[in-house]
Amino acid sequence: MKKFDVYYGMPEVGGPGEIPHIIPGPPGFGTMPDPNEPEPEHIPHGELKPLVHVADGALVKGADVTAEVLTEKQAEKLNISCSEDLTGGITVTGKSTYDVTDSKITLSGNCVNDFDGNGAGIQVLGESVVTVKDTEIVVDGVLRSCLNANEHATMYVENCVLTCKGGEVPEGWPGAELVGGPGMVEAPPSMGVSGHSRLSLTEGNAHSYFKNCKVVSDGWAGLSTDGAWGDCYLQAQNCDIEVLNPGYGTFSDEGCLVVFDDCRMKTASHTIMLDRKGKARMSRIQAESGQYFAFFFSVLGNSSQVNELIVSDCDIKTGEDAFLVSGCNAYIDIRNTRITAENGVAIRSELSQDPMNSPVEPGEKTYGVKVVLSDMELCGDILHEDTNRQMAVTLKHATVKGAIRDAFVTMDIASRWYATADSNVKLVGTVTADQLDAPKGVTIYVESEAELNSGILASGGKLVVK
């Protein structure tokens, strides 16, 4: 099988107005957590019970399934159908190389702890490399995933149809009382999502690559990451991704690097969520979200961490704010992208109401929220409402048509701002009066070191220089 185009890398966070390089070199592997450090006793775990098990290149279990080919190297025209709790499809461990082609896996029944991955349609562990092609996987049950990649594994998924139905939590099921972390049967309430299964989960130092796939999840998550060790990587190319009920299309936290290109994504709530040190790049995405395109937050982290997102050549439609930064630092780089938010807000920061959000101590300096808009026209407001940090907005060959409130603004000579509602900003660098405009009845309040004259703007609005 021809390997996918691999786009590694993420820019380092720069200063205000500094647009970093897109793709540095590939990252190195991180460090596995200390196995001697005990975990909390309340975390539930399920037994590893796959129907097909390949370990260190040997087929150690393959009964109770039908296949045209089933060897230690490959499965072709494999058919798995199972409704037993805690029973998985294919698990590949150790140092194995395995191909799954033209197969169908249908699993139902409930599982325990999707971080473990036990019960997934296909699970890849150790240093194994698994290629899944022209295959359909349908799962239904609590914490039942189509795919799981963990440890130092690599997984390639091409031309596949993946469906996750989610299931309902039985009374007294393990993990039902957890509100976060391994074993939880639903996402923490502050994330605003529903459902009981993530369709795909990439963890540890695993790398997952999806190409030409159709992904349909009932809720919670489509292609997710979690529990990173320092080199967790998720890539999707030319995929159709749909999340039918509140949930996210993809997710990045703790340094997980997520790269999506040429995908079509429709979600009931969020296209992407970024937590703590989330890193993502999304190019040529057609996204339709019931709430937000990107939701940035920080749970159980610290106030120095920064979420980073680059968006280029995308078409974004949202029911609420297109980009919402909730009580955290963020670097948001948007290039040549069309944004349509039904509520008229393109970018908003807010104070988090989540009690597990990373607190900011009085007087503490924070990175803040830094937004760079390049080669585009943005129609929508930019509203900074987080009093714990500052916002800086840089325009490079860009036009903004909307209010900007409580932000530092830097504009190059090719940029313009047309304020559609009363605004207040501090202008940084050289800005001329003819780069600012507003309709009659709208006032732009600015602090600036430049020589700007207070007065009436071209369209009848008012400029007030403090």
Side-chain angles (χ1 to χ4, degrees), residues 256-393:
C256 297
L257 175 55
V258 173
V259 177
F260 276 41
D261 296 300
D262 302 294
C263 292
R264 294 151 298 280
M265 305 178 70
K266 184 176 182 180
T267 58
S269 50
H270 320 318
T271 300
I272 182 171
M273 300 188 77
L274 299 99
D275 177 22
R276 289 171 288 181
K277 296 181 290 183
K279 294 173 178 284
R281 180 175 64 78
M282 308 186 80
S283 300
R284 301 174 300 281
I285 304 297
Q286 297 178 30
E288 184 176 342
S289 305
Q291 287 185 282
Y292 319 119
F293 171 78
F295 182 82
F296 303 78
F297 66 113
S298 181
V299 173
L300 300 177
N302 63 66
S303 57
S304 68
Q305 294 170 329
V306 181
N307 288 307
E308 305 174 48
L309 175 63
I310 290 180
V311 175
S312 60
D313 304 297
C314 294
D315 188 352
I316 295 170
K317 297 178 181 178
T318 62
E320 300 180 26
D321 307 345
F323 295 76
L324 178 62
V325 183
S326 186
C328 66
N329 303 312
Y331 178 81
I332 306 172
D333 186 338
I334 308 173
R335 310 177 183 193
N336 189 35
T337 289
R338 181 167 61 182
I339 298 173
T340 305
E342 288 187 13
N343 69 349
V345 179
I347 302 167
R348 185 197 304 267
S349 71
E350 66 173 13
L351 287 168
S352 174
Q353 301 302 312
D354 187 347
M356 295 192 295
N357 189 75
S358 305
V360 177
E361 300 298 328
E364 179 182 356
K365 293 184 178 180
T366 57
Y367 174 84
V369 180
K370 296 181 181 176
V371 179
V372 181
L373 304 174
S374 305
D375 302 309
M376 59 182 288
E377 179 179 290
L378 177 71
C379 295
D381 297 337
I382 302 175
L383 308 177
H384 181 52
E385 300 171 357
D386 183 350
T387 54
N388 286 331
R389 46 184 51 84
Q390 295 179 336
M391 176 184 283
V393 178

Side-chain angles (χ1 to χ4, degrees), residues 125-304:
L125 301 173
E127 298 177 31
S128 297
V129 178
V130 170
T131 299
V132 186
K133 191 173 181 181
D134 301 317
T135 290
E136 181 179 2
I137 304 175
V138 181
V139 296
D140 186 3
V142 175
L143 301 181
R144 175 81 76 172
S145 298
C146 292
L147 299 163
N148 177 275
N150 204 342
E151 299 174 345
H152 300 276
T154 303
M155 179 172 62
Y156 298 95
V157 187
E158 184 171 4
N159 297 329
C160 292
V161 178
L162 310 170
T163 304
C164 179
K165 297 182 179 180
E168 295 295 331
V169 182
E171 185 176 353
W173 193 253
E177 302 301 320
L178 297 176
V179 294
M184 60 181 177
V185 299
E186 59 188 11
S190 60
M191 292 176 63
V193 303
S194 65
H196 304 292
S197 292
R198 291 180 275 191
L199 184 143
S200 175
L201 191 55
T202 302
E203 310 173 75
N205 277 342
H207 291 191
S208 295
Y209 305 85
F210 292 81
K211 187 174 184 180
N212 303 335
C213 291
K214 181 178 180 180
V215 173
V216 181
S217 181
D218 169 75
W220 192 345
L223 305 182
S224 189
T225 64
D226 211 332
W229 296 350
D231 184 29
C232 184
Y233 183 72
L234 169 64
Q235 177 179 305
Q237 298 178 26
N238 193 38
C239 293
D240 290 283
I241 300 169
E242 186 172 6
V243 182
L244 303 175
N245 294 300
Y248 52 82
T250 191
F251 186 94
S252 173
D253 75 345
E254 278 299 297
C256 297
L257 175 55
V258 173
V259 177
F260 276 41
D261 296 300
D262 302 294
C263 292
R264 294 151 298 280
M265 305 178 70
K266 184 176 182 180
T267 58
S269 50
H270 320 318
T271 300
I272 182 171
M273 300 188 77
L274 299 99
D275 177 22
R276 289 171 288 181
K277 296 181 290 183
K279 294 173 178 284
R281 180 175 64 78
M282 308 186 80
S283 300
R284 301 174 300 281
I285 304 297
Q286 297 178 30
E288 184 176 342
S289 305
Q291 287 185 282
Y292 319 119
F293 171 78
F295 182 82
F296 303 78
F297 66 113
S298 181
V299 173
L300 300 177
N302 63 66
S303 57
S304 68

Side-chain angles (χ1 to χ4, degrees), residues 397-408:
H397 291 77
T399 297
V400 172
K401 294 183 177 180
I404 304 178
R405 293 182 184 150
D406 292 319
F408 292 79

Side-chain angles (χ1 to χ4, degrees), residues 420-463:
T420 57
D422 287 354
S423 302
N424 60 293
V425 302
K426 182 172 182 179
L427 297 177
V428 180
T430 302
V431 179
T432 61
D434 61 358
Q435 292 180 270
L436 310 175
D437 200 4
K440 187 176 181 179
V442 171
T443 302
I444 300 177
Y445 298 91
V446 301
E447 294 182 38
S448 177
E449 297 179 357
E451 294 184 1
L452 292 173
N453 296 320
S454 300
I456 304 301
L457 297 166
S459 297
K462 188 176 181 181
L463 176 66

